[in-house]
Amino acid sequence: MRFATWNVNSVKARLPRLLEWLGDTKPDVLLLQETKVAPGDFPSAEVGELGYETAEYGQGRWNGVAVLSRVGLADVRNGFPGEPGYPGPEARSITATCGGIRFMSVYVPNGRTPEDPHYTYKLSWLSALRTALADDVAAGPVVVAGDFNVAPTDADVWDPAAFVGATHVTPPEREALAAIRSLGFTDVPARPLKGDHPFTYWDYRAGMFHKNMGMRIDLVYATADVAGTVKDAVVDREARKGKGPSDHAPIVVEIDR
């Protein structure tokens, strides 16, 4: 089985690229984030022509997540129990069972700055996610993947000194990720197709992609019954190139299942 995760930064703006990528890469399951479409406005017909069923949770111009599958799509859940809002519910997670695995696509709040109320919301959201995942892990194999908006270690940013005092790297954020991993998740390491760093995000500004001044904030967390079957995992840096890309690259994982 092949599955992938990708923050597409607007599925409508990126639709031609997405369809081409699906045709070339052919993942069995694709988790999308930041779809930025209203409920019911996801291009399900277009991806359906490539053999994919779709479960989507939209919120108009902001947020939005989806699961695309060609190995079955069941028990879909928008959000998770106890999920906080800002101030109301936000479309930041969707879960479905595909090919016998419980897949969750997550778009973790950014946090903005450590002084901003959105940062407190981010930490609360991650804490509630951990609580909800405890029940999912007890029920069977689980993959939680997407844009976590946290770099787990200093090795996951291009220059730790550039992030002093910023979000994405603070101890509370990293501790929240460690708490999720403690449920029995493995951070599946993805190799870069080029270079030494498996970054997944590069700001659009100042040529940061071409300078490889990036961050690893898109992650794949898998329970042992999935992580132990991983054959390969790569950051598809090629998908970040060309005209009109997302600012994130997809991660593609092959498992022996």
Side-chain angles (χ1 to χ4, degrees), residues 114 119 122-123 126 149-154 163-179 181:
Y119 178 79
K122 179 179 190 175
L123 296 180
L126 286 167
N149 268 317
V150 183
T153 72
D154 281 354
F163 291 87
V164 173
T167 54
H168 296 70
V169 300
T170 64
E173 292 169 286
R174 289 175 170 174
E175 289 163 8
L177 279 190
R181 291 194 300 272

mmCIF file with all atom_site columns, all heavy atoms in Angstrom, residues 114 119 122-123 126 149-154 163-179 181:
data_model
loop_
_atom_site.group_PDB
_atom_site.id
_atom_site.type_symbol
_atom_site.label_atom_id
_atom_site.label_alt_id
_atom_site.label_comp_id
_atom_site.label_asym_id
_atom_site.label_entity_id
_atom_site.label_seq_id
_atom_site.pdbx_PDB_ins_code
_atom_site.Cartn_x
_atom_site.Cartn_y
_atom_site.Cartn_z
_atom_site.occupancy
_atom_site.B_iso_or_equiv
_atom_site.pdbx_formal_charge
_atom_site.auth_seq_id
_atom_site.auth_comp_id
_atom_site.auth_asym_id
_atom_site.auth_atom_id
_atom_site.pdbx_PDB_model_num
ATOM 1   N N   . PRO A 1 114 ? 4.200  33.171 20.220 1.00 0.00 ? 114 PRO A N   1
ATOM 2   C CA  . PRO A 1 114 ? 3.975  32.618 21.561 1.00 0.00 ? 114 PRO A CA  1
ATOM 3   C C   . PRO A 1 114 ? 3.126  33.506 22.466 1.00 0.00 ? 114 PRO A C   1
ATOM 4   O O   . PRO A 1 114 ? 2.583  33.021 23.461 1.00 0.00 ? 114 PRO A O   1
ATOM 5   C CB  . PRO A 1 114 ? 5.397  32.464 22.114 1.00 0.00 ? 114 PRO A CB  1
ATOM 6   C CG  . PRO A 1 114 ? 6.250  32.271 20.905 1.00 0.00 ? 114 PRO A CG  1
ATOM 7   C CD  . PRO A 1 114 ? 5.632  33.180 19.870 1.00 0.00 ? 114 PRO A CD  1
ATOM 8   N N   . TYR A 1 119 ? -1.709 30.749 20.032 1.00 0.00 ? 119 TYR A N   1
ATOM 9   C CA  . TYR A 1 119 ? -0.696 29.814 20.521 1.00 0.00 ? 119 TYR A CA  1
ATOM 10  C C   . TYR A 1 119 ? -1.271 28.942 21.641 1.00 0.00 ? 119 TYR A C   1
ATOM 11  O O   . TYR A 1 119 ? -1.072 27.726 21.660 1.00 0.00 ? 119 TYR A O   1
ATOM 12  C CB  . TYR A 1 119 ? 0.513  30.599 21.015 1.00 0.00 ? 119 TYR A CB  1
ATOM 13  C CG  . TYR A 1 119 ? 1.630  29.765 21.593 1.00 0.00 ? 119 TYR A CG  1
ATOM 14  C CD1 . TYR A 1 119 ? 2.532  29.095 20.780 1.00 0.00 ? 119 TYR A CD1 1
ATOM 15  C CD2 . TYR A 1 119 ? 1.785  29.660 22.970 1.00 0.00 ? 119 TYR A CD2 1
ATOM 16  C CE1 . TYR A 1 119 ? 3.566  28.340 21.316 1.00 0.00 ? 119 TYR A CE1 1
ATOM 17  C CE2 . TYR A 1 119 ? 2.811  28.911 23.523 1.00 0.00 ? 119 TYR A CE2 1
ATOM 18  C CZ  . TYR A 1 119 ? 3.708  28.246 22.692 1.00 0.00 ? 119 TYR A CZ  1
ATOM 19  O OH  . TYR A 1 119 ? 4.722  27.503 23.230 1.00 0.00 ? 119 TYR A OH  1
ATOM 20  N N   . LYS A 1 122 ? -3.466 26.489 20.080 1.00 0.00 ? 122 LYS A N   1
ATOM 21  C CA  . LYS A 1 122 ? -2.688 25.421 19.451 1.00 0.00 ? 122 LYS A CA  1
ATOM 22  C C   . LYS A 1 122 ? -2.322 24.342 20.466 1.00 0.00 ? 122 LYS A C   1
ATOM 23  O O   . LYS A 1 122 ? -2.478 23.141 20.202 1.00 0.00 ? 122 LYS A O   1
ATOM 24  C CB  . LYS A 1 122 ? -1.424 26.009 18.824 1.00 0.00 ? 122 LYS A CB  1
ATOM 25  C CG  . LYS A 1 122 ? -0.501 25.004 18.156 1.00 0.00 ? 122 LYS A CG  1
ATOM 26  C CD  . LYS A 1 122 ? 0.717  25.719 17.546 1.00 0.00 ? 122 LYS A CD  1
ATOM 27  C CE  . LYS A 1 122 ? 1.541  24.813 16.661 1.00 0.00 ? 122 LYS A CE  1
ATOM 28  N NZ  . LYS A 1 122 ? 2.644  25.548 15.985 1.00 0.00 ? 122 LYS A NZ  1
ATOM 29  N N   . LEU A 1 123 ? -1.830 24.759 21.617 1.00 0.00 ? 123 LEU A N   1
ATOM 30  C CA  . LEU A 1 123 ? -1.440 23.786 22.640 1.00 0.00 ? 123 LEU A CA  1
ATOM 31  C C   . LEU A 1 123 ? -2.654 23.023 23.166 1.00 0.00 ? 123 LEU A C   1
ATOM 32  O O   . LEU A 1 123 ? -2.573 21.800 23.397 1.00 0.00 ? 123 LEU A O   1
ATOM 33  C CB  . LEU A 1 123 ? -0.715 24.498 23.781 1.00 0.00 ? 123 LEU A CB  1
ATOM 34  C CG  . LEU A 1 123 ? 0.619  25.161 23.420 1.00 0.00 ? 123 LEU A CG  1
ATOM 35  C CD1 . LEU A 1 123 ? 1.219  25.826 24.649 1.00 0.00 ? 123 LEU A CD1 1
ATOM 36  C CD2 . LEU A 1 123 ? 1.600  24.151 22.828 1.00 0.00 ? 123 LEU A CD2 1
ATOM 37  N N   . LEU A 1 126 ? -3.628 20.427 20.485 1.00 0.00 ? 126 LEU A N   1
ATOM 38  C CA  . LEU A 1 126 ? -2.742 19.265 20.485 1.00 0.00 ? 126 LEU A CA  1
ATOM 39  C C   . LEU A 1 126 ? -2.996 18.366 21.687 1.00 0.00 ? 126 LEU A C   1
ATOM 40  O O   . LEU A 1 126 ? -2.953 17.130 21.578 1.00 0.00 ? 126 LEU A O   1
ATOM 41  C CB  . LEU A 1 126 ? -1.287 19.720 20.460 1.00 0.00 ? 126 LEU A CB  1
ATOM 42  C CG  . LEU A 1 126 ? -0.783 20.260 19.124 1.00 0.00 ? 126 LEU A CG  1
ATOM 43  C CD1 . LEU A 1 126 ? 0.554  20.973 19.305 1.00 0.00 ? 126 LEU A CD1 1
ATOM 44  C CD2 . LEU A 1 126 ? -0.651 19.135 18.096 1.00 0.00 ? 126 LEU A CD2 1
ATOM 45  N N   . ASN A 1 149 ? 2.590  21.862 11.962 1.00 0.00 ? 149 ASN A N   1
ATOM 46  C CA  . ASN A 1 149 ? 3.050  23.207 12.300 1.00 0.00 ? 149 ASN A CA  1
ATOM 47  C C   . ASN A 1 149 ? 3.985  23.218 13.505 1.00 0.00 ? 149 ASN A C   1
ATOM 48  O O   . ASN A 1 149 ? 4.023  24.189 14.275 1.00 0.00 ? 149 ASN A O   1
ATOM 49  C CB  . ASN A 1 149 ? 1.856  24.153 12.530 1.00 0.00 ? 149 ASN A CB  1
ATOM 50  C CG  . ASN A 1 149 ? 1.458  24.891 11.263 1.00 0.00 ? 149 ASN A CG  1
ATOM 51  O OD1 . ASN A 1 149 ? 2.303  25.373 10.517 1.00 0.00 ? 149 ASN A OD1 1
ATOM 52  N ND2 . ASN A 1 149 ? 0.165  24.949 11.002 1.00 0.00 ? 149 ASN A ND2 1
ATOM 53  N N   . VAL A 1 150 ? 4.738  22.132 13.677 1.00 0.00 ? 150 VAL A N   1
ATOM 54  C CA  . VAL A 1 150 ? 5.761  22.029 14.706 1.00 0.00 ? 150 VAL A CA  1
ATOM 55  C C   . VAL A 1 150 ? 6.949  21.294 14.100 1.00 0.00 ? 150 VAL A C   1
ATOM 56  O O   . VAL A 1 150 ? 6.771  20.241 13.472 1.00 0.00 ? 150 VAL A O   1
ATOM 57  C CB  . VAL A 1 150 ? 5.281  21.263 15.952 1.00 0.00 ? 150 VAL A CB  1
ATOM 58  C CG1 . VAL A 1 150 ? 6.384  21.249 17.019 1.00 0.00 ? 150 VAL A CG1 1
ATOM 59  C CG2 . VAL A 1 150 ? 4.000  21.858 16.524 1.00 0.00 ? 150 VAL A CG2 1
ATOM 60  N N   . ALA A 1 151 ? 8.141  21.833 14.288 1.00 0.00 ? 151 ALA A N   1
ATOM 61  C CA  . ALA A 1 151 ? 9.372  21.140 13.905 1.00 0.00 ? 151 ALA A CA  1
ATOM 62  C C   . ALA A 1 151 ? 9.854  20.366 15.132 1.00 0.00 ? 151 ALA A C   1
ATOM 63  O O   . ALA A 1 151 ? 10.185 20.986 16.148 1.00 0.00 ? 151 ALA A O   1
ATOM 64  C CB  . ALA A 1 151 ? 10.427 22.131 13.447 1.00 0.00 ? 151 ALA A CB  1
ATOM 65  N N   . PRO A 1 152 ? 9.896  19.035 15.084 1.00 0.00 ? 152 PRO A N   1
ATOM 66  C CA  . PRO A 1 152 ? 10.164 18.260 16.295 1.00 0.00 ? 152 PRO A CA  1
ATOM 67  C C   . PRO A 1 152 ? 11.515 18.537 16.958 1.00 0.00 ? 152 PRO A C   1
ATOM 68  O O   . PRO A 1 152 ? 11.629 18.464 18.177 1.00 0.00 ? 152 PRO A O   1
ATOM 69  C CB  . PRO A 1 152 ? 10.088 16.808 15.803 1.00 0.00 ? 152 PRO A CB  1
ATOM 70  C CG  . PRO A 1 152 ? 9.221  16.856 14.585 1.00 0.00 ? 152 PRO A CG  1
ATOM 71  C CD  . PRO A 1 152 ? 9.538  18.171 13.943 1.00 0.00 ? 152 PRO A CD  1
ATOM 72  N N   . THR A 1 153 ? 12.548 18.857 16.182 1.00 0.00 ? 153 THR A N   1
ATOM 73  C CA  . THR A 1 153 ? 13.882 19.110 16.735 1.00 0.00 ? 153 THR A CA  1
ATOM 74  C C   . THR A 1 153 ? 14.529 20.271 15.991 1.00 0.00 ? 153 THR A C   1
ATOM 75  O O   . THR A 1 153 ? 14.060 20.685 14.927 1.00 0.00 ? 153 THR A O   1
ATOM 76  C CB  . THR A 1 153 ? 14.790 17.874 16.612 1.00 0.00 ? 153 THR A CB  1
ATOM 77  O OG1 . THR A 1 153 ? 15.165 17.704 15.226 1.00 0.00 ? 153 THR A OG1 1
ATOM 78  C CG2 . THR A 1 153 ? 14.104 16.604 17.102 1.00 0.00 ? 153 THR A CG2 1
ATOM 79  N N   . ASP A 1 154 ? 15.657 20.739 16.524 1.00 0.00 ? 154 ASP A N   1
ATOM 80  C CA  . ASP A 1 154 ? 16.390 21.807 15.840 1.00 0.00 ? 154 ASP A CA  1
ATOM 81  C C   . ASP A 1 154 ? 16.895 21.359 14.477 1.00 0.00 ? 154 ASP A C   1
ATOM 82  O O   . ASP A 1 154 ? 17.104 22.198 13.580 1.00 0.00 ? 154 ASP A O   1
ATOM 83  C CB  . ASP A 1 154 ? 17.571 22.269 16.698 1.00 0.00 ? 154 ASP A CB  1
ATOM 84  C CG  . ASP A 1 154 ? 17.146 23.210 17.811 1.00 0.00 ? 154 ASP A CG  1
ATOM 85  O OD1 . ASP A 1 154 ? 15.957 23.600 17.848 1.00 0.00 ? 154 ASP A OD1 1
ATOM 86  O OD2 . ASP A 1 154 ? 18.000 23.548 18.658 1.00 0.00 ? 154 ASP A OD2 1
ATOM 87  N N   . PHE A 1 163 ? 14.872 31.046 14.379 1.00 0.00 ? 163 PHE A N   1
ATOM 88  C CA  . PHE A 1 163 ? 13.547 30.772 14.934 1.00 0.00 ? 163 PHE A CA  1
ATOM 89  C C   . PHE A 1 163 ? 13.456 31.075 16.429 1.00 0.00 ? 163 PHE A C   1
ATOM 90  O O   . PHE A 1 163 ? 12.435 30.779 17.052 1.00 0.00 ? 163 PHE A O   1
ATOM 91  C CB  . PHE A 1 163 ? 13.175 29.308 14.683 1.00 0.00 ? 163 PHE A CB  1
ATOM 92  C CG  . PHE A 1 163 ? 12.930 28.993 13.241 1.00 0.00 ? 163 PHE A CG  1
ATOM 93  C CD1 . PHE A 1 163 ? 13.986 28.632 12.414 1.00 0.00 ? 163 PHE A CD1 1
ATOM 94  C CD2 . PHE A 1 163 ? 11.667 29.090 12.691 1.00 0.00 ? 163 PHE A CD2 1
ATOM 95  C CE1 . PHE A 1 163 ? 13.773 28.354 11.069 1.00 0.00 ? 163 PHE A CE1 1
ATOM 96  C CE2 . PHE A 1 163 ? 11.446 28.813 11.352 1.00 0.00 ? 163 PHE A CE2 1
ATOM 97  C CZ  . PHE A 1 163 ? 12.493 28.457 10.538 1.00 0.00 ? 163 PHE A CZ  1
ATOM 98  N N   . VAL A 1 164 ? 14.491 31.656 16.993 1.00 0.00 ? 164 VAL A N   1
ATOM 99  C CA  . VAL A 1 164 ? 14.471 31.990 18.413 1.00 0.00 ? 164 VAL A CA  1
ATOM 100 C C   . VAL A 1 164 ? 13.316 32.954 18.688 1.00 0.00 ? 164 VAL A C   1
ATOM 101 O O   . VAL A 1 164 ? 13.170 33.984 18.029 1.00 0.00 ? 164 VAL A O   1
ATOM 102 C CB  . VAL A 1 164 ? 15.811 32.611 18.857 1.00 0.00 ? 164 VAL A CB  1
ATOM 103 C CG1 . VAL A 1 164 ? 15.708 33.115 20.295 1.00 0.00 ? 164 VAL A CG1 1
ATOM 104 C CG2 . VAL A 1 164 ? 16.934 31.586 18.737 1.00 0.00 ? 164 VAL A CG2 1
ATOM 105 N N   . GLY A 1 165 ? 12.471 32.593 19.652 1.00 0.00 ? 165 GLY A N   1
ATOM 106 C CA  . GLY A 1 165 ? 11.334 33.427 20.005 1.00 0.00 ? 165 GLY A CA  1
ATOM 107 C C   . GLY A 1 165 ? 10.120 33.254 19.119 1.00 0.00 ? 165 GLY A C   1
ATOM 108 O O   . GLY A 1 165 ? 9.129  33.973 19.289 1.00 0.00 ? 165 GLY A O   1
ATOM 109 N N   . ALA A 1 166 ? 10.181 32.312 18.183 1.00 0.00 ? 166 ALA A N   1
ATOM 110 C CA  . ALA A 1 166 ? 9.078  32.090 17.245 1.00 0.00 ? 166 ALA A CA  1
ATOM 111 C C   . ALA A 1 166 ? 8.328  30.810 17.587 1.00 0.00 ? 166 ALA A C   1
ATOM 112 O O   . ALA A 1 166 ? 8.806  29.957 18.345 1.00 0.00 ? 166 ALA A O   1
ATOM 113 C CB  . ALA A 1 166 ? 9.607  32.017 15.814 1.00 0.00 ? 166 ALA A CB  1
ATOM 114 N N   . THR A 1 167 ? 7.152  30.681 17.012 1.00 0.00 ? 167 THR A N   1
ATOM 115 C CA  . THR A 1 167 ? 6.410  29.425 17.149 1.00 0.00 ? 167 THR A CA  1
ATOM 116 C C   . THR A 1 167 ? 7.054  28.335 16.298 1.00 0.00 ? 167 THR A C   1
ATOM 117 O O   . THR A 1 167 ? 8.023  28.576 15.587 1.00 0.00 ? 167 THR A O   1
ATOM 118 C CB  . THR A 1 167 ? 4.959  29.611 16.705 1.00 0.00 ? 167 THR A CB  1
ATOM 119 O OG1 . THR A 1 167 ? 4.949  30.147 15.370 1.00 0.00 ? 167 THR A OG1 1
ATOM 120 C CG2 . THR A 1 167 ? 4.212  30.539 17.629 1.00 0.00 ? 167 THR A CG2 1
ATOM 121 N N   . HIS A 1 168 ? 6.492  27.148 16.372 1.00 0.00 ? 168 HIS A N   1
ATOM 122 C CA  . HIS A 1 168 ? 6.912  25.957 15.644 1.00 0.00 ? 168 HIS A CA  1
ATOM 123 C C   . HIS A 1 168 ? 8.093  25.229 16.302 1.00 0.00 ? 168 HIS A C   1
ATOM 124 O O   . HIS A 1 168 ? 8.335  24.065 15.986 1.00 0.00 ? 168 HIS A O   1
ATOM 125 C CB  . HIS A 1 168 ? 7.269  26.256 14.172 1.00 0.00 ? 168 HIS A CB  1
ATOM 126 C CG  . HIS A 1 168 ? 6.125  26.730 13.346 1.00 0.00 ? 168 HIS A CG  1
ATOM 127 N ND1 . HIS A 1 168 ? 5.558  27.973 13.524 1.00 0.00 ? 168 HIS A ND1 1
ATOM 128 C CD2 . HIS A 1 168 ? 5.429  26.146 12.344 1.00 0.00 ? 168 HIS A CD2 1
ATOM 129 C CE1 . HIS A 1 168 ? 4.562  28.133 12.667 1.00 0.00 ? 168 HIS A CE1 1
ATOM 130 N NE2 . HIS A 1 168 ? 4.459  27.037 11.934 1.00 0.00 ? 168 HIS A NE2 1
ATOM 131 N N   . VAL A 1 169 ? 8.817  25.911 17.180 1.00 0.00 ? 169 VAL A N   1
ATOM 132 C CA  . VAL A 1 169 ? 10.012 25.290 17.763 1.00 0.00 ? 169 VAL A CA  1
ATOM 133 C C   . VAL A 1 169 ? 10.048 25.406 19.286 1.00 0.00 ? 169 VAL A C   1
ATOM 134 O O   . VAL A 1 169 ? 11.023 24.979 19.902 1.00 0.00 ? 169 VAL A O   1
ATOM 135 C CB  . VAL A 1 169 ? 11.301 25.920 17.186 1.00 0.00 ? 169 VAL A CB  1
ATOM 136 C CG1 . VAL A 1 169 ? 11.371 25.734 15.676 1.00 0.00 ? 169 VAL A CG1 1
ATOM 137 C CG2 . VAL A 1 169 ? 11.391 27.400 17.545 1.00 0.00 ? 169 VAL A CG2 1
ATOM 138 N N   . THR A 1 170 ? 9.021  25.948 19.918 1.00 0.00 ? 170 THR A N   1
ATOM 139 C CA  . THR A 1 170 ? 9.071  26.177 21.362 1.00 0.00 ? 170 THR A CA  1
ATOM 140 C C   . THR A 1 170 ? 8.980  24.853 22.122 1.00 0.00 ? 170 THR A C   1
ATOM 141 O O   . THR A 1 170 ? 8.375  23.884 21.640 1.00 0.00 ? 170 THR A O   1
ATOM 142 C CB  . THR A 1 170 ? 7.926  27.095 21.822 1.00 0.00 ? 170 THR A CB  1
ATOM 143 O OG1 . THR A 1 170 ? 6.674  26.439 21.582 1.00 0.00 ? 170 THR A OG1 1
ATOM 144 C CG2 . THR A 1 170 ? 7.959  28.420 21.086 1.00 0.00 ? 170 THR A CG2 1
ATOM 145 N N   . PRO A 1 171 ? 9.555  24.788 23.310 1.00 0.00 ? 171 PRO A N   1
ATOM 146 C CA  . PRO A 1 171 ? 9.474  23.560 24.099 1.00 0.00 ? 171 PRO A CA  1
ATOM 147 C C   . PRO A 1 171 ? 8.048  23.061 24.335 1.00 0.00 ? 171 PRO A C   1
ATOM 148 O O   . PRO A 1 171 ? 7.806  21.842 24.209 1.00 0.00 ? 171 PRO A O   1
ATOM 149 C CB  . PRO A 1 171 ? 10.184 23.932 25.406 1.00 0.00 ? 171 PRO A CB  1
ATOM 150 C CG  . PRO A 1 171 ? 11.186 24.963 24.993 1.00 0.00 ? 171 PRO A CG  1
ATOM 151 C CD  . PRO A 1 171 ? 10.490 25.769 23.927 1.00 0.00 ? 171 PRO A CD  1
ATOM 152 N N   . PRO A 1 172 ? 7.066  23.914 24.668 1.00 0.00 ? 172 PRO A N   1
ATOM 153 C CA  . PRO A 1 172 ? 5.713  23.376 24.863 1.00 0.00 ? 172 PRO A CA  1
ATOM 154 C C   . PRO A 1 172 ? 5.139  22.697 23.614 1.00 0.00 ? 172 PRO A C   1
ATOM 155 O O   . PRO A 1 172 ? 4.447  21.677 23.719 1.00 0.00 ? 172 PRO A O   1
ATOM 156 C CB  . PRO A 1 172 ? 4.896  24.614 25.251 1.00 0.00 ? 172 PRO A CB  1
ATOM 157 C CG  . PRO A 1 172 ? 5.885  25.523 25.891 1.00 0.00 ? 172 PRO A CG  1
ATOM 158 C CD  . PRO A 1 172 ? 7.137  25.340 25.075 1.00 0.00 ? 172 PRO A CD  1
ATOM 159 N N   . GLU A 1 173 ? 5.418  23.254 22.436 1.00 0.00 ? 173 GLU A N   1
ATOM 160 C CA  . GLU A 1 173 ? 4.928  22.625 21.205 1.00 0.00 ? 173 GLU A CA  1
ATOM 161 C C   . GLU A 1 173 ? 5.586  21.261 20.993 1.00 0.00 ? 173 GLU A C   1
ATOM 162 O O   . GLU A 1 173 ? 4.918  20.271 20.651 1.00 0.00 ? 173 GLU A O   1
ATOM 163 C CB  . GLU A 1 173 ? 5.212  23.529 20.009 1.00 0.00 ? 173 GLU A CB  1
ATOM 164 C CG  . GLU A 1 173 ? 4.415  24.820 19.986 1.00 0.00 ? 173 GLU A CG  1
ATOM 165 C CD  . GLU A 1 173 ? 4.924  25.785 18.935 1.00 0.00 ? 173 GLU A CD  1
ATOM 166 O OE1 . GLU A 1 173 ? 5.998  26.384 19.142 1.00 0.00 ? 173 GLU A OE1 1
ATOM 167 O OE2 . GLU A 1 173 ? 4.249  25.932 17.897 1.00 0.00 ? 173 GLU A OE2 1
ATOM 168 N N   . ARG A 1 174 ? 6.884  21.203 21.184 1.00 0.00 ? 174 ARG A N   1
ATOM 169 C CA  . ARG A 1 174 ? 7.604  19.944 21.005 1.00 0.00 ? 174 ARG A CA  1
ATOM 170 C C   . ARG A 1 174 ? 7.208  18.919 22.060 1.00 0.00 ? 174 ARG A C   1
ATOM 171 O O   . ARG A 1 174 ? 7.133  17.718 21.775 1.00 0.00 ? 174 ARG A O   1
ATOM 172 C CB  . ARG A 1 174 ? 9.110  20.211 21.012 1.00 0.00 ? 174 ARG A CB  1
ATOM 173 C CG  . ARG A 1 174 ? 9.569  20.937 19.751 1.00 0.00 ? 174 ARG A CG  1
ATOM 174 C CD  . ARG A 1 174 ? 11.030 21.326 19.788 1.00 0.00 ? 174 ARG A CD  1
ATOM 175 N NE  . ARG A 1 174 ? 11.467 21.796 18.470 1.00 0.00 ? 174 ARG A NE  1
ATOM 176 C CZ  . ARG A 1 174 ? 12.656 22.307 18.221 1.00 0.00 ? 174 ARG A CZ  1
ATOM 177 N NH1 . ARG A 1 174 ? 13.560 22.437 19.199 1.00 0.00 ? 174 ARG A NH1 1
ATOM 178 N NH2 . ARG A 1 174 ? 12.976 22.712 16.999 1.00 0.00 ? 174 ARG A NH2 1
ATOM 179 N N   . GLU A 1 175 ? 6.939  19.382 23.261 1.00 0.00 ? 175 GLU A N   1
ATOM 180 C CA  . GLU A 1 175 ? 6.473  18.474 24.311 1.00 0.00 ? 175 GLU A CA  1
ATOM 181 C C   . GLU A 1 175 ? 5.089  17.919 23.971 1.00 0.00 ? 175 GLU A C   1
ATOM 182 O O   . GLU A 1 175 ? 4.792  16.751 24.270 1.00 0.00 ? 175 GLU A O   1
ATOM 183 C CB  . GLU A 1 175 ? 6.445  19.204 25.653 1.00 0.00 ? 175 GLU A CB  1
ATOM 184 C CG  . GLU A 1 175 ? 7.834  19.499 26.215 1.00 0.00 ? 175 GLU A CG  1
ATOM 185 C CD  . GLU A 1 175 ? 7.825  20.565 27.300 1.00 0.00 ? 175 GLU A CD  1
ATOM 186 O OE1 . GLU A 1 175 ? 6.711  20.976 27.728 1.00 0.00 ? 175 GLU A OE1 1
ATOM 187 O OE2 . GLU A 1 175 ? 8.915  20.993 27.715 1.00 0.00 ? 175 GLU A OE2 1
ATOM 188 N N   . ALA A 1 176 ? 4.242  18.725 23.350 1.00 0.00 ? 176 ALA A N   1
ATOM 189 C CA  . ALA A 1 176 ? 2.922  18.245 22.942 1.00 0.00 ? 176 ALA A CA  1
ATOM 190 C C   . ALA A 1 176 ? 3.041  17.150 21.891 1.00 0.00 ? 176 ALA A C   1
ATOM 191 O O   . ALA A 1 176 ? 2.288  16.161 21.917 1.00 0.00 ? 176 ALA A O   1
ATOM 192 C CB  . ALA A 1 176 ? 2.091  19.413 22.408 1.00 0.00 ? 176 ALA A CB  1
ATOM 193 N N   . LEU A 1 177 ? 4.002  17.297 20.962 1.00 0.00 ? 177 LEU A N   1
ATOM 194 C CA  . LEU A 1 177 ? 4.234  16.238 19.975 1.00 0.00 ? 177 LEU A CA  1
ATOM 195 C C   . LEU A 1 177 ? 4.758  14.979 20.651 1.00 0.00 ? 177 LEU A C   1
ATOM 196 O O   . LEU A 1 177 ? 4.345  13.861 20.314 1.00 0.00 ? 177 LEU A O   1
ATOM 197 C CB  . LEU A 1 177 ? 5.251  16.704 18.928 1.00 0.00 ? 177 LEU A CB  1
ATOM 198 C CG  . LEU A 1 177 ? 4.768  17.584 17.784 1.00 0.00 ? 177 LEU A CG  1
ATOM 199 C CD1 . LEU A 1 177 ? 5.878  17.723 16.743 1.00 0.00 ? 177 LEU A CD1 1
ATOM 200 C CD2 . LEU A 1 177 ? 3.529  17.014 17.123 1.00 0.00 ? 177 LEU A CD2 1
ATOM 201 N N   . ALA A 1 178 ? 5.682  15.141 21.579 1.00 0.00 ? 178 ALA A N   1
ATOM 202 C CA  . ALA A 1 178 ? 6.235  13.983 22.288 1.00 0.00 ? 178 ALA A CA  1
ATOM 203 C C   . ALA A 1 178 ? 5.136  13.244 23.046 1.00 0.00 ? 178 ALA A C   1
ATOM 204 O O   . ALA A 1 178 ? 5.152  12.004 23.123 1.00 0.00 ? 178 ALA A O   1
ATOM 205 C CB  . ALA A 1 178 ? 7.343  14.430 23.234 1.00 0.00 ? 178 ALA A CB  1
ATOM 206 N N   . ALA A 1 179 ? 4.177  13.976 23.585 1.00 0.00 ? 179 ALA A N   1
ATOM 207 C CA  . ALA A 1 179 ? 3.073  13.341 24.300 1.00 0.00 ? 179 ALA A CA  1
ATOM 208 C C   . ALA A 1 179 ? 2.218  12.503 23.357 1.00 0.00 ? 179 ALA A C   1
ATOM 209 O O   . ALA A 1 179 ? 1.731  11.426 23.721 1.00 0.00 ? 179 ALA A O   1
ATOM 210 C CB  . ALA A 1 179 ? 2.226  14.404 25.000 1.00 0.00 ? 179 ALA A CB  1
ATOM 211 N N   . ARG A 1 181 ? 3.380  11.083 20.547 1.00 0.00 ? 181 ARG A N   1
ATOM 212 C CA  . ARG A 1 181 ? 4.198  9.912  20.209 1.00 0.00 ? 181 ARG A CA  1
ATOM 213 C C   . ARG A 1 181 ? 4.182  8.875  21.324 1.00 0.00 ? 181 ARG A C   1
ATOM 214 O O   . ARG A 1 181 ? 4.262  7.668  21.061 1.00 0.00 ? 181 ARG A O   1
ATOM 215 C CB  . ARG A 1 181 ? 5.632  10.334 19.904 1.00 0.00 ? 181 ARG A CB  1
ATOM 216 C CG  . ARG A 1 181 ? 5.806  11.127 18.623 1.00 0.00 ? 181 ARG A CG  1
ATOM 217 C CD  . ARG A 1 181 ? 7.274  11.209 18.198 1.00 0.00 ? 181 ARG A CD  1
ATOM 218 N NE  . ARG A 1 181 ? 8.111  11.839 19.199 1.00 0.00 ? 181 ARG A NE  1
ATOM 219 C CZ  . ARG A 1 181 ? 8.330  13.151 19.294 1.00 0.00 ? 181 ARG A CZ  1
ATOM 220 N NH1 . ARG A 1 181 ? 7.751  13.986 18.424 1.00 0.00 ? 181 ARG A NH1 1
ATOM 221 N NH2 . ARG A 1 181 ? 9.118  13.650 20.233 1.00 0.00 ? 181 ARG A NH2 1
#
